[in-house]
Every structure is written in C-alpha cells, then in structure tokens.
Amino acid sequence: MRSKVIELSKMSYKNYCVVFVIFALAIVQAVGHDTELYETAACDSNACFEELHGALGDCSCNVDTIDYFNNVKIFPRIQSVVGKDYFRFYKVNLKKECPFWVDDSRCAMKYCHIKTCSKESVPGIENGYGNDDDEEFPALKYSENAQTTPCGSDTDHDPALGYLNMTLSAASQYEIAKWKAYDDSIGNFCECDDKDADAEYVDLSLNPERYTGYKGPSAHRIWRSIYQENCFRVKTNPYESFPYVLSSDLSNMCLEKRVFYRAVSGLHSSINIHLCSKYLLSEKKIGFAAPPEGEWGPNLEEFQRRFDPSKTFGEGSNWLKNLYFVYLLEMRALAKAGPYLEREDYFTGNPVEDEETRDAIRNMLGVIYTFPDHFNESSMFTVGNQAIKLKQEFREHFWNISRIMDCVGCDKCKLWGKLQTQGLGTALKILFSGQWDSFEGDSDQGRLMLKHKSHKRLQRTEIVALFNAFARLSNSIRELENFRNMLSTHTEAPQKSIFGGNEDVDAKKTRCSSAGSKARIWS
C-alpha cells in the first residue's frame, strides 16, 4: 500500500514538473516576445536626431527651414484639403496578382482588411464625378456603327459620290488601342489600374494607414526587391541582409541616380514613421482589456529600432533626411503643376463643397509658391543621348516599383503603398515627362486644358494620389516633432527595466547593443 502511495506521489510529481516546464516555457516565450517587440530599452535618446539638421544635399534647402514651413504652414492646410470628399475616395485594384513571384503569404489579421464602397456611394459619381472612366475609346469612332449617322439634310448631297470607307478591321482597332496605350504611358512613371474591371472605390477615411501586424519574409521581400533590383547601385554594401545603398556610396553616383534612391528611401522612411506613430498597442494589454477595434498610438521604442544609427549601420539619420528630400521633390511638383491644379473642377456634385475644395487648394498652393528653396529639376537629364537613356531607365525602374506594390500581402498596406507610390510617380511625371516644362505660369494654357477633357494632363486618380501622398509626407515630418518631444521627456525620466526597477547606464548600453541585431526596419 505504501509503495503504491509512493508511486502515485512520483507520478504526481512528474506531472507537476511537466506542467511547470510548459508554464515556464510559455512565460519565457511571452517575455521574449515582449522584449523584442515592445519593451527593449531605448538606446541613446537623441541619436536619431543628432544629425538631422543643416543642409539636405542635392538641393539648397535645410532641415530646419522645412520643419518650420511644414509644421506651421503646410500641415494644417494639406490635412484640410485631403479631408474633402474629392480626395477621400481613391479608385484602386487590390486584386491584381503579383507579377514577379508566387507568394501565398497573406496577412490574416483583421486589421489588414479594408472596407470598399460602391461606385454609387461616391459623391457626385452619378453626375459625372467619374468622368475619367467615360473617355471614348479612340478606335470606336471608326467602327461601322459610328458611321451610320447621316451627314446632314442637304438634298444636293449624294453620299454615293463622296463615299469614304472609314471602317476598321478588328485587328486594326486592336493595334490602334495599343498605340494609345503606349502614348498614354510615355510620360507615366507608374502603373495606373483605376480603369481595371476589378478596381473599386475606397474611402480613405475609413481605412487609415497604420501598423497592422504585417511583417516577416513576405514584407521583407517587398523592400529587398525594391532596393536590390530596382534602385541604382554602384556596388553591393558589405553588410549581410542589408540591401540599402550606403550614404558613403551615394557620392559615387550621378545626380539622377542619387535622386531616385533618395526619393524611394524617403518614401520608405515616411511609411515607417506612419507605422510607428499608429502602432498596434492593444497586444501589450493582458486579458480582454484591449478594445475590439484595437488601440493604436505612438511606439517610441519601435521608432528607435527603425532609425537609431546604432541599429542601422549609421544610416538612420540619413533615411530621415531622405524624407525631407522627397517632401521637397513632391512639393516642387505641386508648385510646377499649380496653375493647372488651381483650375481643376474637383467636382463632387455639392457646389458648396466643391468651391471650398478649390479655395483650400488655391490657398495651399499660394503658400507653396512662397517657399524660397524649391527642388531644381532642371539640372537633371541634361547630357544629350545619355540623358534620354538614363531618363528611360529612371522611368522603368520606378514603373517596376509600382508593380511590386501588387505583391504586398496585406490589403491595407497594399492600398497605401499603391497610393503613395502613384503619388510619387505622378510627381515624377510632372517634373520629368516634359509635358509641363512650358506650362508653368501659363494661365491660358491651364484654362485650355480644362476645356478639352480628352487631353487632360492628370487623371482624377493621379490628382487624388498626388495630394494624399504629399499629405502623408507632411504628416511624417509633423510626427518627427512628436517623437522628438517624446524622446526629450523619455530622457528626463529614469529608464525602467522590463523586469522592474531602474537600469543603470552601462546595463542599458549593453542591452541596446545586443538588441541592434533584432532591428525590424523592413516592414
């Protein structure tokens, strides 16, 4: 009897040990997860901003000037503009397959999904708001049906004597359609899919850009393909799994290639800042305390992981400078196309709303015109035949990047990736296609182009993308000020360890150094 009791005691002890080990592993895993994602101590508090001042390079402007100009003058105005109905609705095809690789990695989190809206629910669509979709197909005017309308009621006219056969075969119509597609794409720097059968309207106000949990190999592959295969490079950098061009190598590139890289890098930095400022915080809570829709807010540690020089091989501050650089580039595009944009209809069917939209745009453009140090695109692509070839490569590389956005596995990330890429592509089109070189300041030409809608220089989707993309860059610069203030406050308070208590400086530096290898700067 006693031996059975002893045996049962041993079994109970073994079971208890198994349960304890499982429980301990769960705790270690949970702590490890929190340590990596949320609670790693911040490194040198001001390291991200120490070099973020002075001249930007490749332009005559400096960071401090842009900070003041954006935060005080531009930010409130552009936020007012994109809040208007005309800019809230963006038509996009999110069902396109990735053209470069097969990737079944889809974001399964509910925060990745978007809410689309029907065409009829878009303000003014029934009265011509979507008139970009109704452009007459050029080959149709030569079809047999189109030639059946009588020339007139002139009794002296004998149709048989003046007969002119203007019908076209199906093959000819197909070829003409290809010609038009080619002509339309000559000045474009990105793929536009708003006329695709699967394109749908999305209310951007219902689908804000923020961290959704989309990360891992699928997200990493997007940016690795952009940097390694579609950015100009002089050589591969020596750091493993670090696809970016080192700033020390940029000086060995020509101006055009530097501008391309800095524009892409600035866009990437802007997106990263959005994710850090609207980070999913509800996962940090225990039990059922988190709200069902999630809780988003700024994540200071995540911002430092993405931009602290100690974790980015010294490149973090340069990436932030590239944000200011692409901001200048897009602002220059708005200024160059300003005379045209001031005379657009911005029609939604609501006369009061439409007039307010036009007034808001004129007001913002008027402020943009006063900026003293605009980006100077006239210094690029100036060396004869070599410049023509380089501009073609420039366009093709960015076109590929716009197509890579169809490979993003999270619908919300894809939406904002495509919108901001198209916005930057539209800015490049304005600056470098040549269509706008003799346009700036010519008010009569701006009025003429609006009378002839079939020759519109910008489609509605391009205008929506251009303003929203610039708004996101403006928001990123504004958020940098918030992170700078948070870091100042963070420095003054004692740093707490995730295990409780305060850490000394040496311990903090040790943890920062070891955490550098875990930097999540991809997604």
Side-chain angles (χ1 to χ4, degrees), residues 5 11 24 39 56 83 85 92 123 142 172 181 227 229 231 243 261 331 346 350 368 371 374 411-412 445 457:
V5 171
M11 290 179 63
E39 301 295 346
L56 281 177
D85 283 347
V92 61
Y142 301 108
S172 297
Y227 283 107
E229 300 171 17
C231 280
Y261 175 79
M331 184 166 65
Y346 305 107
N350 183 336
I368 286 177
F371 189 73
H374 280 287
D411 283 345
K412 188 167 289 185
Q445 198 170 7
R457 293 178 180 239

Side-chain angles (χ1 to χ4, degrees), residues 24 59 73 112 195 237 250 305 336 409 463 486 491 518:
C59 58
K73 297 184 177 182
C112 287
K195 291 182 174 62
N237 68 60
L250 287 178
R305 264 192 291 274
K336 190 170 185 177
I463 296 175
M486 290 174 64
T491 310
K518 295 184 179 180

Side-chain angles (χ1 to χ4, degrees), residues 371-408:
F371 189 73
D373 298 305
H374 280 287
F375 177 80
N376 181 16
E377 76 281 2
S378 63
S379 61
M380 297 176 59
F381 305 110
T382 58
V383 189
N385 292 332
Q386 182 180 354
I388 296 175
K389 180 180 178 182
L390 183 58
K391 183 184 286 189
Q392 181 66 12
E393 291 179 357
F394 194 101
R395 190 183 73 85
E396 289 174 351
H397 282 216
F398 198 84
W399 187 283
N400 274 346
I401 290 175
S402 74
R403 299 180 69 203
I404 289 175
M405 290 298 137
D406 288 317
C407 301
V408 176

Side-chain angles (χ1 to χ4, degrees), residues 255-274:
L255 173 62
E256 291 81 2
K257 294 181 179 181
R258 280 202 309 274
V259 166
F260 187 96
Y261 175 79
R262 297 191 68 183
V264 172
S265 173
L267 174 62
H268 189 191
S269 296
S270 181
I271 292 173
N272 276 335
I273 292 170
H274 303 158

Side-chain angles (χ1 to χ4, degrees), residues 300-319:
L300 183 60
E301 288 79 11
E302 184 67 19
F303 174 80
Q304 290 181 284
R305 264 192 291 274
R306 293 176 187 259
F307 292 106
D308 193 293
S310 67
K311 300 181 180 183
T312 57
F313 300 101
E315 293 295 319
S317 298
N318 295 317
W319 295 343

Side-chain angles (χ1 to χ4, degrees), residues 426-440:
T426 303
L428 297 176
K429 173 182 177 178
I430 293 170
L431 294 177
F432 302 122
S433 69
Q435 298 176 15
W436 303 80
D437 291 348
S438 60
F439 177 80
E440 193 173 11

Side-chain angles (χ1 to χ4, degrees), residues 1 93 289 308 512:
M1 184 69 179
N93 181 5
D308 193 293
C512 287

Side-chain angles (χ1 to χ4, degrees), residues 183-248:
D183 291 341
D184 290 344
S185 68
I186 284 297
N188 290 340
F189 282 73
C190 62
E191 191 171 53
C192 302
D193 52 29
D194 57 312
K195 291 182 174 62
D196 292 353
D198 290 328
E200 296 179 280
Y201 283 99
V202 176
D203 186 339
L204 298 176
S205 67
L206 299 179
N207 300 278
E209 183 182 20
R210 55 194 181 187
Y211 178 76
T212 63
Y214 176 61
K215 58 186 179 181
S218 177
H220 297 174
R221 190 174 188 177
I222 300 297
W223 289 108
R224 183 178 288 110
S225 298
I226 289 174
Y227 283 107
Q228 291 184 335
E229 300 171 17
N230 292 284
C231 280
F232 300 97
R233 327 175 61 90
V234 289
K235 62 180 181 180
T236 304
N237 68 60
Y239 303 117
E240 185 180 358
S241 300
F242 192 76
Y244 312 100
V245 176
L246 298 178
S247 298
S248 57

